[in-house]
């Protein structure tokens, strides 16, 4: 059986994150075809990169995991300073390495392992472009590298330090058409083969919005599920929602599911539940009028696909091409670019249950035809075989 190796910054049941969840889902689903390993760190929290896992090796659901200690914890004050310098376009290119180290996880033993054991694996699959293990790992095994960049149009793509990820790998697995076009337009890397992947959606056998409403004492609400921080544009969501509530005296509440990184406004109309179980998450989405996602930067958005799969429409930020693309392709949601668009689309969805039902059906059909695990894993297997044999039937979808 051929051996493949995933490389990612964090991995495990306790880890919460879109890229990390996708990696785990893919790795476990490829065990029926390959001998699957994962190289990662002992960290759980990306804000600190503190070692929390103690075992160097373990096996989870048939996947062999090798964990490495991070060389140093993240100093958020130092990183914030150097990141501010970069975002204001005054960071010299020769200091980008310093940015990468301070961003973390700085884990040199993982790179040493790749260098010393690269001949033992038929292919390496790297997720996601922003982190030290991926940048340095691709440089070591470019001829065996399949990269899932999970890229979106953000300032960090301007860094020269990421060029190796986009110019040297053997193949790409892109999440969406928008990601593919962004990367190929920017790097002119049309010679590198790719496939369109994404993520399948696993919905519990029984989902009940009514159970969620009873458990948390809720009735009329919209929902946000994910990390609650500035990077997800949550502050704007709070501002828009509270402005809406001042202008419309209804009983609507905004329910938040996820770990708060920024302060949440004190308001009876905003209900923050923190981290909840997967069952509660699905029940919560199912019981909502619609899911709202204010993020400007998404490479796929699993939670939007989860809402679609439950027949729940979405309201998303139209400044994110991927989220806008989902809505335009399936007509399963609305997008906005300012408060007035936010308010208008909110009112359309809230006042028209027939419209919500129609959008929900379209969203569910979109997921069922495009984002099934059997299709996605088949595309990844094609790339793995290409890396190993140099044979790929066609370079486009």
């Amino acid at each position: 059986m051929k051996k493949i190796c995933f490389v990612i910054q964090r991995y495990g049941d306790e880890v919460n994150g879109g890229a990390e969840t996708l990696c785990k889902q893919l790795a476990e689903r490829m065990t029926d075809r390959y001998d699957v390993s994962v190289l990662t760190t002992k960290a759980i929290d990306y804000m600190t990169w503190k070692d929390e896992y103690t075992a160097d090796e373990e096996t989870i659901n048939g996947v062999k995991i090798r964990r490495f200690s991070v060389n140093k914890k993240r100093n958020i004050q130092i990183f914030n300073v150097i990141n501010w310098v970069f975002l204001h376009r005054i960071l010299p290119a020769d200091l980008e390495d310093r940015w990468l180290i301070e961003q973390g996880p700085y884990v040199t033993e993982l790179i040493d392992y790749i260098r010393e054991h690269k001949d033992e694996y038929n292919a390496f699959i790297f997720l996601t472009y922003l982190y030290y293990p991926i940048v340095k790992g691709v440089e070591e095994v470019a001829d065996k590298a399949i990269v899932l960049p999970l890229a979106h149009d953000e300032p960090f793509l301007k860094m020269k330090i990421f060029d190796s990820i986009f110019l040297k790998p053997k193949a790409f697995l892109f999440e969406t058409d928008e990601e593919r076009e962004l990367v190929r337009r920017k790097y002119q890397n049309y010679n590198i083969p790719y496939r369109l992947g994404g993520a399948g959606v696993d919905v519990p056998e029984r989902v009940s919005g009514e159970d969620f409403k009873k458990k948390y004492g809720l009735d009329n609400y919209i929902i946000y599920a994910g990390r609650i921080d500035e990077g997800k544009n949550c502050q704007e969501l709070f501002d828009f929602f509270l402005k809406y509530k001042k202008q419309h005296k209804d009983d609507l509440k905004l329910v938040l599911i996820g770990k708060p990184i920024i302060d949440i406004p004190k308001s009876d109309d905003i209900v923050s539940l923190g981290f909840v179980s997967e069952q509660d998450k699905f029940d919560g989405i199912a019981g909502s009028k619609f899911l709202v996602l204010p993020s400007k930067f998404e490479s796929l958005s699993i939670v939007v696909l989860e809402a679609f799969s439950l027949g729940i429409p979405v309201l998303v930020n139209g400044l994110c091409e991927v989220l806008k693309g989902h809505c335009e392709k399936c007509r399963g949601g609305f997008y906005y670019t300012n408060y007035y668009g936010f308010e208008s689309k909110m009112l359309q969805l809230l006042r028209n249950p027939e419209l919500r039902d129609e959008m929900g059906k379209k969203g569910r059909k979109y997921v069922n035809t495009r984002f099934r695990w059997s299709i996605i894993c088949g595309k990844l297997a094609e790339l793995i075989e290409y890396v190993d044999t140099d044979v790929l039937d066609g370079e486009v979808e």
Side-chain angles (χ1 to χ4, degrees):
M1 184 176 278
K2 292 180 180 179
K3 296 178 68 174
I4 64 172
C5 183
F6 288 82
V7 182
I8 192 161
Q9 59 275 3
R10 301 179 297 159
Y11 189 97
D13 293 334
E14 299 79 10
V15 172
N16 184 28
E20 293 85 353
T21 298
L22 175 60
C23 182
K24 191 169 185 294
Q25 291 169 329
L26 285 172
E28 291 178 357
R29 282 172 173 79
M30 300 305 285
T31 55
D32 61 342
R33 310 183 195 211
Y34 302 102
D35 183 340
V36 182
S37 296
V38 171
L39 303 181
T40 189
T41 69
K42 293 182 177 179
I44 293 177
D45 185 355
Y46 77 98
M47 293 296 289
T48 66
W49 300 120
K50 173 187 174 184
D51 281 358
E52 295 190 58
Y53 289 106
T54 56
D56 293 338
E57 298 180 35
E58 65 174 317
T59 299
I60 300 177
N61 297 331
V63 178
K64 303 168 189 173
I65 302 154
R66 186 180 296 271
R67 302 185 190 278
F68 298 86
S69 289
V70 178
N71 293 51
K72 65 173 186 174
K73 296 178 189 176
R74 190 185 207 184
N75 186 314
I76 193 64
Q77 287 79 20
I78 291 176
F79 175 71
N80 284 345
V81 169
I82 196 169
N83 196 47
W84 183 92
V85 171
F86 164 72
L87 292 174
H88 286 75
R89 303 182 182 180
I90 52 178
L91 183 70
D94 59 357
L95 286 182
E96 288 181 2
D97 241 334
R98 176 67 185 277
W99 181 95
L100 189 67
I101 290 172
E102 296 299 337
Q103 150 94 336
Y106 183 47
V107 53
T108 54
E109 285 187 359
L110 189 156
I111 306 305
D112 292 341
Y113 181 89
I114 292 176
R115 184 183 305 117
E116 294 164 6
H117 296 269
K118 59 186 176 184
D119 293 337
E120 298 174 15
Y121 300 95
N122 297 90
F124 288 82
I125 301 101
F126 293 89
L127 299 86
T128 163
Y129 88 91
L130 270 175
Y131 297 100
Y132 180 93
I134 288 74
V135 174
K136 300 303 181 181
V138 170
E139 291 173 359
E140 293 291 339
V141 289
D143 61 333
K144 291 186 175 184
I146 300 167
V147 172
L148 283 72
L150 309 188
H152 37 259
D153 193 6
E154 60 182 347
F156 306 112
L157 276 181
K158 297 181 174 70
M159 286 191 172
K160 294 294 183 184
I161 199 168
F162 297 126
D163 284 0
S164 60
I165 289 179
F166 296 102
L167 296 173
K168 293 183 178 181
K170 189 80 169 181
F172 290 108
L173 186 66
F174 293 119
E175 299 297 279
T176 61
D177 303 281
E178 290 80 11
E179 182 191 17
R180 175 195 60 193
E181 293 308 310
L182 170 68
V183 169
R184 285 157 70 90
R185 183 173 64 247
K186 176 173 177 53
Y187 292 96
Q188 298 294 301
N189 51 6
Y190 298 99
N191 60 309
I192 301 177
Y194 75 91
R195 287 289 184 260
L196 282 175
V201 179
D202 295 318
V203 177
E205 288 187 14
R206 181 182 182 277
V207 177
S208 172
E210 291 305 312
D211 284 356
F212 182 86
K213 291 177 180 179
K214 290 177 183 177
K215 181 174 181 177
Y216 293 102
L218 293 163
D219 182 23
N220 182 30
Y221 67 93
I222 62 175
I223 195 165
Y224 169 86
R227 199 169 65 247
I228 302 168
D229 71 2
E230 197 62 47
K232 293 294 184 180
N233 204 29
C234 288
Q235 188 58 56
E236 181 181 86
L237 172 61
F238 300 153
D239 294 342
F240 282 8
F241 181 75
L242 291 175
K243 184 175 181 180
Y244 166 88
K245 290 295 296 185
K246 284 184 179 178
Q247 297 175 351
H248 303 275
K249 303 300 183 183
D250 55 27
D251 63 350
L252 183 71
K253 296 190 183 301
L254 169 62
V255 172
L256 308 174
I257 289 176
K259 181 178 180 180
I261 306 297
I262 61 173
D263 292 337
I264 297 169
K266 294 188 184 337
S267 168
D268 291 340
D269 295 315
I270 299 179
V271 180
S272 177
L273 301 180
F275 188 79
V276 302
S277 69
E278 281 291 291
Q279 184 67 55
D280 276 2
K281 180 187 76 171
F282 281 104
D283 288 348
I285 295 172
S288 69
K289 292 294 191 292
F290 56 88
L291 176 116
V292 59
L293 186 59
S295 175
K296 298 178 183 179
F297 306 114
E298 294 291 327
S299 58
L300 180 65
S301 183
I302 301 296
V303 73
V304 163
L305 300 183
E306 290 172 339
F308 284 160
S309 72
L310 294 170
I312 299 298
V314 301
L315 177 62
V316 303
N317 194 325
L319 297 178
C320 175
E321 289 298 322
V322 168
L323 298 179
K324 180 180 177 182
H326 284 319
C327 293
E328 290 182 333
K329 288 168 194 170
C330 72
R331 305 297 177 187
F334 285 138
Y335 57 87
Y336 63 90
T337 57
N338 54 39
Y339 171 73
Y340 300 103
F342 176 85
E343 178 190 34
S344 171
K345 299 307 182 186
M346 283 265 292
L347 292 172
Q348 281 184 258
L349 286 167
L350 291 170
R351 292 173 176 176
N352 194 335
E354 292 81 10
L355 174 64
R356 295 200 304 270
D357 289 343
E358 180 185 349
M359 284 184 152
K361 290 175 183 176
K362 291 177 179 178
R364 182 181 281 121
K365 181 179 179 181
Y366 176 62
V367 170
N368 288 341
T369 45
R370 170 69 176 81
F371 296 100
R372 294 204 312 267
W373 281 117
S374 58
I375 296 173
I376 294 161
C377 291
K379 298 290 182 67
L380 178 56
E382 285 182 38
L383 295 178
I384 292 168
E385 295 305 313
Y386 164 66
V387 166
D388 194 46
T389 65
D390 261 345
V391 176
L392 185 64
D393 293 332
E395 295 193 1
V396 295
E397 295 296 307

